[in-house]
């Protein structure tokens, strides 16, 4: 029964992703890139055939997903989608090495945005569009997309989305999880279209505007330019991307509340307040220490706000190599590696809400020292929160740190210096993209040893699935009945 359910979900998922190949196929036809058409068309047709056959053969079988098997379904979905998504890159010959093609695909779907490519602008436009499109599909969640489009996944759908979505608190904003998934995807699509239109108006051509809107809203960071957004040297484009990166780092449920007039939910949201505060303080701090470098506070704010948004939301775009900034300005960027976007956003990282919870608990502990007999409850969004959430956050941070430490060690084995290894580990697990040292925003990952790339693919997927969904398979307790 579980195998039937797994095949049902995976066949539907691959068919959906395969259907999205139609977008780069149209671009390939428009620009006469006939040499890459087969790399999209053949996998797309195979995905449709696989889906149709699975439906014909298994249509009368019962469809069930238990809590235990949910982890297998979600982890398998991300691995298989990354494998399927690498086919256009590999079959077209644009990335002829299997390890590199898989690394690029995983980096795309997990919205990490680190690339093995040193020359991007010479790639076919359809391939570059697909690279950015993987961010968009992975940003809101490929399993969430499947749940939204296929009502047959209503049973167990909430379990699947819980295993994929980000943050310590996961719930429904509407009674039906399929309705929730659809609404979030509609909001996501509206933001994407709006940004693409604005980028087109302010200087990008249509394909580049769509590509960068995909990357921005998915908080990925792939670009069709060798110098990322900095290659356009446009203040207008910088501002547009900054604004939409910031929006993408906000919990998408809040946009639903805004549309439905539930403004108190937004006003009282503790995480949003902290997110805005961290963004403002970091942008102003960086601007202060780079003002002499840029000659004016306004130009410094342009670059500082862009890079703050790029790192806190884990998008990873660049308009300037931040390692060329004064050490005090780099400090803010380094701290942002530990924070990440809001829960329920497309951003990666530890998530702002976890730091909010720990900060509030720290405040309560101080109060207890001063008033030993006092009773202090944890308040989140002006509502009492279950104290067990603190233990959940502490356990997550422990696991997060352990994976960062192991990933740092793997980087050291691969002949990276300690600081480069550590910041890259933060980048991989947090799905940020750029790091410091030998893997700063101007560098690529193509020169790393193959075993390091394979470990990084594991770290990226584990980080995107909030660790537990992927790491749980290595725990003995999972295999015990």
């Amino acid at each position: 029964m579980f195998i039937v359910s797994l095949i049902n979900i995976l066949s539907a998922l691959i068919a959906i992703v395969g259907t999205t190949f139609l977008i780069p196929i149209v671009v390939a036809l428009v620009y006469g890139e006939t040499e890459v058409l087969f790399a999209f068309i053949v996998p797309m047709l195979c995905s449709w055939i696989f889906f149709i056959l699975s439906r014909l053969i298994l249509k009368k079988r019962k469809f069930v997903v238990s809590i235990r098997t949910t982890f297998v379904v979600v982890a398998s979905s991300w691995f298989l989608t990354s494998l399927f998504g690498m086919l256009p890159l590999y079959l077209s010959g644009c990335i002829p090495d299997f390890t590199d093609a898989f690394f690029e695909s995983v980096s795309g779907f997990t919205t990490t945005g680190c690339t093995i490519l040193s020359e991007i602008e010479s790639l076919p436009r359809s391939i570059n569009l697909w690279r950015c499109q993987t961010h968009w599909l992975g940003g809101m969640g490929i399993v969430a997309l499947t749940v939204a489009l296929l009502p047959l996944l209503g049973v167990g759908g909430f379990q699947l989305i819980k295993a994929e979505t980000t943050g310590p608190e996961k719930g429904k904003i509407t009674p039906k999880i399929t309705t929730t998934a659809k609404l979030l995807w509609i909001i996501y699509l509206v933001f994407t279209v709006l940004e693409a239109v604005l980028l087109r108006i302010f200087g990008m051509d249509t394909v580049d505007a769509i590509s960068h809107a995909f990357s921005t809203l998915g908080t990925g960071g792939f670009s069709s330019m060798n110098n990322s957004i900095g290659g356009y040297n446009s203040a207008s484009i910088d501002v547009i991307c900054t604004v939409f990166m910031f929006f993408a780092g906000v919990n998408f449920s809040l946009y639903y509340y805004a549309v439905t007039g539930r403004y108190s939910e937004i006003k009282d949201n503790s995480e949003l307040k902290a997110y805005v505060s961290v963004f403002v303080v970091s942008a102003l701090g960086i601007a202060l220490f780079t003002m002499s470098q840029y000659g004016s506070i306004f130009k410094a704010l342009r670059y500082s706000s862009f890079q703050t948004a790029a790192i806190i939301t884990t998008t990873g775009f660049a308009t300037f190599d931040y390692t060329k900034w004064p050490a005090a300005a780099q400090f803010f960027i380094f701290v942002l590696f530990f924070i990440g976007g809001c829960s329920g956003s497309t951003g990666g990282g530890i998530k702002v809400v976890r730091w909010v919870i720990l900060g509030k608990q720290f405040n309560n502990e101080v109060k207890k020292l001063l008033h030993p007999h006092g009773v202090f409850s944890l308040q989140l969004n002006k509502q009492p929160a279950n104290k067990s959430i603190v233990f959940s956050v502490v356990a997550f941070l422990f696991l997060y740190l352990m994976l960062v430490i192991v990933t740092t060690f793997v980087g050291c084995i691969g002949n990276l210096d300690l600081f480069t290894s550590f910041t890259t580990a933060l980048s991989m697990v947090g799905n940020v993209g750029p790091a410091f040292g030998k893997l700063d925003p101007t560098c690529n990952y193509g020169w790393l040893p193959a075993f390091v790339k394979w470990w990084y693919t594991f770290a990226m997927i584990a980080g995107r699935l909030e660790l537990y969904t992927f790491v749980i398979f290595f725990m003995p307790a999972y295999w015990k009945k």
Side-chain angles (χ1 to χ4, degrees):
M1 191 179 297
F2 164 66
I3 296 299
V4 170
S5 299
L6 183 62
I7 293 174
N8 265 308
I9 295 172
L10 294 183
S11 64
L13 177 61
I14 295 303
I16 291 169
V17 175
T19 302
T20 66
F21 282 0
L22 288 169
I23 300 174
I25 285 173
V26 170
V27 172
L29 290 171
V30 169
Y31 286 90
E33 298 169 351
T34 54
E35 72 279 3
V36 301
L37 278 175
F38 83 98
F40 288 107
I41 293 175
V42 172
M44 180 180 69
L45 294 177
C46 288
S47 71
W48 291 349
I49 293 170
F50 178 42
F51 175 70
I52 293 169
L53 288 177
S54 67
R55 285 296 173 274
L56 291 174
I57 296 171
L58 305 173
K59 63 181 180 179
K60 293 183 180 180
R61 300 294 185 91
K62 189 176 180 181
F63 185 87
V64 176
V65 178
S66 67
I67 294 177
R68 179 178 287 268
T69 56
T70 293
F71 297 106
V72 178
V73 172
V74 174
S76 300
S77 297
W78 278 83
F79 178 81
L80 186 60
T81 302
S82 298
L83 197 62
F84 182 73
M86 66 164 271
L87 293 178
L89 307 175
Y90 185 67
L91 296 176
S92 65
C94 293
I95 304 181
D97 182 77
F98 183 90
T99 296
D100 285 348
F102 186 67
F103 180 93
E104 193 81 3
S105 181
V106 170
S107 180
F109 281 108
T110 60
T111 74
T112 306
C114 53
T115 181
I116 55 87
L117 297 166
S118 57
E119 174 55 46
I120 297 172
E121 294 175 26
S122 61
L123 290 175
R125 304 206 71 183
S126 55
I127 292 293
N128 261 332
L129 176 63
W130 171 243
R131 291 173 63 246
C132 297
Q133 191 175 318
T134 58
H135 286 329
W136 194 76
L137 293 171
M140 187 57 71
I142 50 180
V143 175
L145 176 60
T146 308
V147 171
L149 295 181
L150 294 177
L152 62 90
L153 292 181
V155 177
F158 183 52
Q159 295 172 7
L160 292 173
I161 289 186
K162 278 182 68 179
E164 181 185 58
T165 51
T166 61
E169 289 189 312
K170 304 170 185 182
K172 308 174 186 178
I173 57 175
T174 62
K176 293 184 178 180
I177 192 63
T178 52
T179 304
T180 299
K182 288 175 184 176
L183 285 172
L184 294 179
W185 268 95
I186 289 171
I187 294 169
Y188 191 47
L189 179 61
V190 169
F191 271 127
T192 305
V193 171
L194 181 58
E195 185 188 2
V197 170
L198 289 173
L199 290 175
R200 179 69 183 86
I201 292 172
F202 286 94
M204 287 190 186
D205 66 30
T206 302
V207 175
D208 276 358
I210 295 172
S211 298
H212 287 91
F214 282 159
S215 288
T216 304
L217 268 300
T219 61
F222 279 159
S223 173
S224 56
M225 302 290 285
N226 289 334
N227 294 324
S228 189
I229 299 297
Y232 293 96
N233 194 28
S234 166
S236 299
I237 289 175
D238 288 357
V239 170
I240 292 168
C241 289
T242 299
V243 170
F244 281 94
M245 281 191 289
F246 180 87
F247 286 162
V250 174
N251 189 326
F252 271 70
S253 298
L254 298 184
Y255 298 125
Y256 172 77
Y257 297 144
V259 172
T260 55
R262 296 161 62 178
Y263 301 116
S264 61
E265 300 275 1
I266 302 172
K267 184 184 68 173
D268 296 337
N269 190 271
S270 305
E271 183 180 35
L272 180 62
K273 294 175 184 176
Y275 175 67
V276 173
S277 300
V278 171
F279 177 86
V280 171
V281 170
S282 299
L284 290 176
I286 293 171
L288 177 66
F289 290 106
T290 59
M291 186 168 54
S292 59
Q293 188 171 346
Y294 289 114
S296 73
I297 185 62
F298 298 105
K299 192 172 183 180
L301 279 171
R302 166 189 164 186
Y303 287 100
S304 68
S305 59
F306 181 95
Q307 209 59 61
T308 297
I311 300 301
I312 193 173
T313 64
T314 71
T315 307
F317 277 148
T319 52
F320 189 85
D321 182 2
Y322 53 71
T323 61
K324 299 295 190 294
W325 283 343
Q330 291 184 49
F331 168 81
F332 287 95
I333 296 296
F334 179 70
V335 170
L336 293 176
F337 271 71
F338 292 88
I339 298 176
C342 297
S343 60
S345 72
T346 59
I350 292 174
K351 301 294 180 301
V352 176
V353 69
R354 290 192 171 96
W355 294 115
V356 170
I357 291 168
L358 289 181
K360 287 179 176 291
Q361 183 60 29
F362 168 76
N363 186 50
N364 283 345
E365 294 298 327
V366 172
K367 289 179 180 178
K368 286 179 183 179
L369 289 175
L370 297 174
H371 308 284
H373 301 294
V375 178
F376 307 99
S377 63
L378 184 69
Q379 296 283 320
L380 199 61
N381 305 332
K382 292 190 176 180
Q383 298 291 329
N386 193 324
K387 193 172 181 180
S388 64
I389 198 172
V390 177
F391 303 125
S392 174
V393 169
V394 171
F396 175 86
L397 287 175
F398 171 79
L399 184 57
Y400 195 95
L401 181 59
M402 288 301 101
L403 185 55
V404 167
I405 289 173
V406 173
T407 304
T408 300
F409 180 62
V410 172
C412 290
I413 296 175
N415 293 321
L416 294 175
D417 62 86
L418 182 59
F419 187 59
T420 299
S421 296
F422 178 62
T423 56
T424 303
L426 289 172
S427 182
M428 294 298 98
V429 180
N431 305 131
V432 180
F436 284 82
K438 296 179 181 178
L439 292 170
D440 66 29
T442 65
C443 301
N444 66 77
Y445 288 66
W447 56 276
L448 293 174
F451 78 90
V452 175
K453 292 175 186 174
W454 280 104
W455 179 263
Y456 282 172
T457 60
F458 165 77
M460 285 188 281
I461 295 176
R464 176 59 184 81
L465 297 181
E466 297 258 286
L467 306 186
Y468 287 111
T469 302
F470 213 65
V471 175
I472 197 171
F473 301 114
F474 299 89
M475 306 299 290
Y478 177 81
W479 302 101
K480 293 179 181 180
K481 293 184 179 180

